[in-house]
Amino acid sequence: MSEVVCTLWGRAGLDRAAQGVLGAGRRLADSTGAALRAIIVGTADDALASGAQAVADRVVVATGPGLEDYNPESYLAALSDLCKAASATVVLLGNDTYAQEIAARLAHRLGGSAAGDAVAVHAEGGKVRVTRGVYGGKATAVIELEKSPAVVWVRARAIEPADAAGRGAGEVERVTPELPATGVKVLERQEESKGGARLEDAQVIVSGGRGLGGPEPFTELQKLADVMHAQMAASRAACDAGWVPASWQVGQTGKKVAPQLYLAIAISGASQHIMGIADSKVICAINRDADAPIFKHCTFGLVEDYQKVIGPLTERLRSAK
Amino acid sequence: MKIAVCLKQILDPEVPARDFKVDAAKREAEQGGANLVTNIFCENALETALQIRDAAGSGEIVALSVGPAGAEDVLRKALALRADQAVLVVNDADTNPDPLFVAKTLAAAIKKIGGVDVVMVGREAGDWGAGQTGGLLAEELAIPCISFAEGFEPGATPGTIKVKRQTDAGFEVIEAPTPLVLTITNHDKNVPRIPKTRDVMQSYRKPLEKWTLSDLGVDGSTSHAYSQVAELFIPKKETKCEFIEGDTVEAKIDALAKRIGDILRAM
Ligand SMILES: Cc1cc2nc3c(=O)[nH]c(=O)nc-3n(C[C@H](O)[C@H](O)[C@H](O)COP(=O)(O)OP(=O)(O)OC[C@H]3O[C@@H](n4cnc5c(N)ncnc54)[C@H](O)[C@@H]3O)c2cc1C
């Protein structure tokens, strides 16, 4: 029987991304009459192992020397062996940096084809088709993958989790893959944590752009974010200027976020920025230009100089609490 | 150190959404009045390579592109920025070959160039954004690949480099043996420099190699054996923005605070 494989990272746990990957995998397996196998690389906690068990027909956890923490060469080698052992027709990954780094290489090793940042994956006439934004989000393309397996990284957080059907995957199989030696070594791993939720999981986001004019106004925005219990983000222009860390960038080549409220301040709303925020429930902008494209994506917005707004808005939201 | 920087020519990604049109039958964007430009992440890659050569005081940079004859512009610009050598693999037959075809062509060119220590590509292109060239190229050359790199410095032992690269949470420093492929991302220190007018003039007198697919033994008929575009369309999405009104700024801020407060309380 052919199999759909979901690839998960032990370290990440059963986060929203893992749930999205499993949801996409389950539906694809059901629609093509395939079995679903979850492959977890790195030690899995109980929540992840049982979460995967509840959705997949089979769960494999790969651990051992070289797999404790992510290393591109070791993870790739392990995954390629584990996918070959499954008769995979489709391999799904999330869209974190690690998945993006190795997905195409994995496809190459499996003799398959890859496509990424998928908002939808479906099988048609024996081939897998992937829907994704192109031209910086200005167009949508359906890409047909010609080789099998199809290796696809998906916009995991925007994909519905699987129904809690409680299928029950039998036992969890534990394996220790043999890994080839690699000269690639991770010497240092730094997190630019800002406390609170990860940006990808944030429910409320306050985001600043080039129109802020420098790093200082971000301190003001931070105060506003604090009263709103929001995470901070930024446009690429603000990150490239060095005003805030690169890990704050939202968009085509930054984080893909899906909060209840995204407040964009002095951001024009280039299509590449919108690509990262399109899954937000409500987008609100403060921009002094009424013709700024961002307003085309807003539920509501204010045309005003941000400098007149941020301080008083912070005060009002503080006293309204 | 010999660095090959791969550069792709693309439709200007700054074309605003309202002017953007697709040819659904050809499954490509219409160029209209827009320019063709170097993909920004490829420019970031070239800038990174130039800085590394500057810092080392030596080294060689080869600019490499696969594309139509007109992609020569991208390489002239690279020469104006003082790349040492430029190679164009002319592929006039197919304007949007699949990622594996591009990777195979680049791999063949890099082997022919010879002696390359580090191959740099942009993390993805501003047109199709597949983000696969670097990874597939590494597999074709059977060497490692590190993605989302900002740059590198010499490693502790000869034949290695230390790469700083971005991750979702922050960054990592990775030691890796050469040769290898790096996909380069943007950051505050690799914003592309502007060529000097004099260098632009001189770039037209510098040699630029042109190779054909058959020079490299690449079969042009395989340019969609990996994937193809089945459909291309402009998504319809219109949100009607309610603009906050008010007689004074104060009144507008009151109204805005109320709308935001309502959402926060409902969560
Ligand atoms: C391949 C590619 C990938 C990209 N990926 C991303 C990405 O991931 N994320 C991203 O953000 N961008 C990305 N970009 C860049 C994108 O195209 C835009 O250049 C960028 O988003 C612009 O940032 P901005 O809106 O902050 O700046 P600008 O476009 O300069 O907009 C600034 C805005 O601030 C407003 N403003 C100025 N002063 C004030 C004031 N006092 N009060 C209120 N408003 C004011 C202006 O009206 C304007 O609308 C990418 C581009 C390419 C080509």
Side-chain angles (χ1 to χ4, degrees):
Chain A
M1 190 182 194
S2 68
E3 281 184 296
V4 171
V5 171
C6 289
T7 300
L8 306 167
W9 309 139
R11 272 262 186 248
L14 188 65
D15 64 355
R16 182 64 185 79
Q19 294 172 29
V21 172
L22 287 166
R26 183 73 263 169
R27 284 185 292 274
L28 198 61
D30 289 346
S31 73
T32 55
L36 181 65
R37 179 189 297 230
I39 296 177
I40 303 174
V41 188
T43 309
D45 62 12
D46 288 345
L48 178 57
S50 55
Q53 247 179 327
V55 177
D57 303 303
R58 194 162 172 187
V59 179
V60 178
V61 180
T63 53
L67 297 180
E68 298 90 351
D69 278 305
Y70 176 82
N71 172 305
E73 302 304 316
S74 323
Y75 270 47
L76 176 60
L79 267 180
S80 136
D81 283 351
L82 293 165
C83 290
K84 277 181 195 152
S87 36
T89 48
V90 181
V91 180
L92 298 178
L93 303 97
N95 61 343
D96 54 278
T97 34
Y98 298 154
Q100 288 183 48
E101 177 168 65
I102 58 176
R105 298 180 70 192
L106 180 61
H108 194 283
R109 289 194 187 185
L110 300 175
S113 300
D117 205 25
V119 293
V121 188
H122 60 276
E124 204 171 296
K127 286 191 178 145
V128 171
R129 290 187 163 203
V130 169
T131 307
R132 59 190 305 273
V134 294
Y135 289 104
K138 284 179 280 226
T140 302
V142 179
I143 308 291
E144 181 177 271
L145 299 180
E146 302 303 321
K147 298 181 180 216
S148 183
V151 178
V152 183
W153 68 99
V154 297
R155 277 206 177 195
R157 284 183 170 74
I159 294 177
E160 278 295 300
D163 294 335
R167 215 167 270 262
E171 84 284 22
V172 172
E173 192 183 324
R174 298 189 186 274
V175 296
T176 311
E178 276 205 33
L179 301 174
T182 172
V184 175
K185 294 184 176 64
V186 180
L187 303 178
E188 196 184 331
R189 184 167 273 136
Q190 285 284 337
E191 306 216 340
E192 282 155 356
S193 168
K194 303 166 283 168
R198 278 189 295 189
L199 192 49
E200 302 92 307
D201 293 322
Q203 292 300 299
V204 185
I205 294 174
V206 170
S207 189
R210 172 153 48 203
L212 291 176
E216 300 81 16
F218 274 95
T219 325
E220 291 305 304
L221 254 55
Q222 182 70 61
K223 290 183 195 147
L224 174 62
D226 289 345
V227 240
M228 293 172 66
H229 299 292
Q231 291 290 306
M232 294 280 286
S235 72
R236 172 171 164 172
C239 296
D240 277 0
W243 300 344
V244 293
S247 58
W248 291 28
Q249 185 180 319
V250 163
Q252 177 187 353
T253 47
K255 302 275 155 47
K256 314 286 190 292
V257 299
Q260 298 291 313
L261 174 63
Y262 185 86
L263 179 56
I265 302 167
I267 292 177
S268 64
S271 64
Q272 294 90 354
H273 187 80
I274 303 298
M275 256 184 117
I277 66 172
D279 298 320
S280 307
K281 185 129 185 282
V282 172
I283 297 172
C284 169
I286 301 170
N287 195 304
R288 67 176 174 200
D289 174 10
D291 292 326
I294 186 86
F295 287 121
K296 291 216 163 56
H297 305 269
C298 285
T299 309
F300 60 97
L302 175 62
V303 181
E304 195 53 78
D305 187 335
Y306 83 88
Q307 299 183 54
K308 295 189 192 145
V309 179
I310 303 309
L313 179 63
T314 309
E315 281 321 306
R316 288 202 191 30
L317 288 171
R318 196 193 311 273
S319 55
K321 281 220 273 197
Chain B
M1 162 104 34
K2 189 165 177 177
I3 304 176
V5 181
C6 304
L7 301 149
K8 183 182 184 186
Q9 187 180 51
I10 63 168
L11 181 72
D12 186 354
E14 310 270 320
V15 172
R18 61 172 181 276
D19 299 333
F20 182 83
K21 294 192 179 61
V22 298
D23 183 330
K26 277 213 224 138
R27 282 165 256 145
E28 268 179 26
E30 284 179 14
Q31 189 181 343
N35 293 324
L36 298 176
V37 299
T38 310
N39 174 41
I40 177 69
F41 296 110
C42 303
E43 292 194 291
N44 293 136
L46 180 58
E47 175 61 34
T48 305
L50 291 166
Q51 288 177 15
I52 286 165
R53 191 185 61 184
D54 291 348
S58 67
E60 197 185 338
I61 298 173
V62 186
L64 169 64
S65 188
V66 177
E72 180 174 335
D73 292 351
V74 159
L75 294 172
R76 290 286 168 208
K77 190 169 175 199
L79 288 170
L81 288 166
R82 301 188 160 219
D84 299 285
Q85 196 191 329
V87 177
L88 176 63
V89 183
V90 184
N91 176 23
D92 272 318
D94 187 345
T95 42
N96 183 28
D98 70 36
L100 183 60
F101 182 82
V102 175
K104 281 184 189 291
T105 310
L106 288 172
I110 285 163
K111 282 185 193 151
K112 183 165 164 148
I113 291 165
V116 173
D117 299 295
V118 177
V119 182
M120 289 187 178
V121 304
R123 58 174 288 168
E124 64 187 73
D127 52 1
W128 289 92
Q132 298 190 44
T133 306
L136 294 174
L137 178 54
E139 290 300 305
E140 286 293 323
L141 294 169
I143 56 179
C145 175
I146 298 171
S147 295
F148 315 116
E150 293 189 351
F152 68 85
E153 42 186 87
T157 45
T160 67
I161 58 171
K162 241 167 71 179
V163 182
K164 184 181 176 198
R165 67 90 162 259
Q166 295 178 7
T167 62
D168 291 319
F171 67 87
E172 291 170 354
V173 179
I174 302 179
E175 184 181 77
T178 56
L180 87 174
V181 176
L182 299 179
T183 87
I184 302 291
T185 194
N186 62 297
H187 65 114
D188 59 340
K189 308 249 167 18
N190 67 6
V191 178
R193 66 190 70 180
I194 312 286
K196 296 194 185 78
T197 317
R198 207 186 54 133
D199 289 336
V200 174
M201 314 267 280
Q202 281 182 354
S203 73
Y204 288 91
R205 289 201 291 275
K206 290 195 180 164
L208 190 153
E209 295 239 25
K210 286 185 190 162
W211 296 340
T212 63
L213 293 176
S214 51
D215 288 342
L216 296 172
V218 176
D219 175 1
S221 72
T222 59
S223 62
H224 290 289
Y226 182 79
S227 63
Q228 50 188 321
V229 183
E231 281 174 58
L232 180 69
F233 56 93
I234 295 181
K236 283 198 190 61
K237 187 180 175 280
E238 267 307 309
T239 317
K240 187 101 187 65
C241 178
E242 179 198 324
F243 284 101
I244 306 263
E245 306 286 352
D247 293 335
T248 60
V249 180
E250 292 300 305
K252 288 188 205 168
I253 298 172
D254 281 339
L256 180 66
K258 175 152 189 334
R259 289 295 305 260
I260 292 175
D262 286 347
I263 294 175
L264 298 179
R265 272 186 299 276
M267 280 171 50

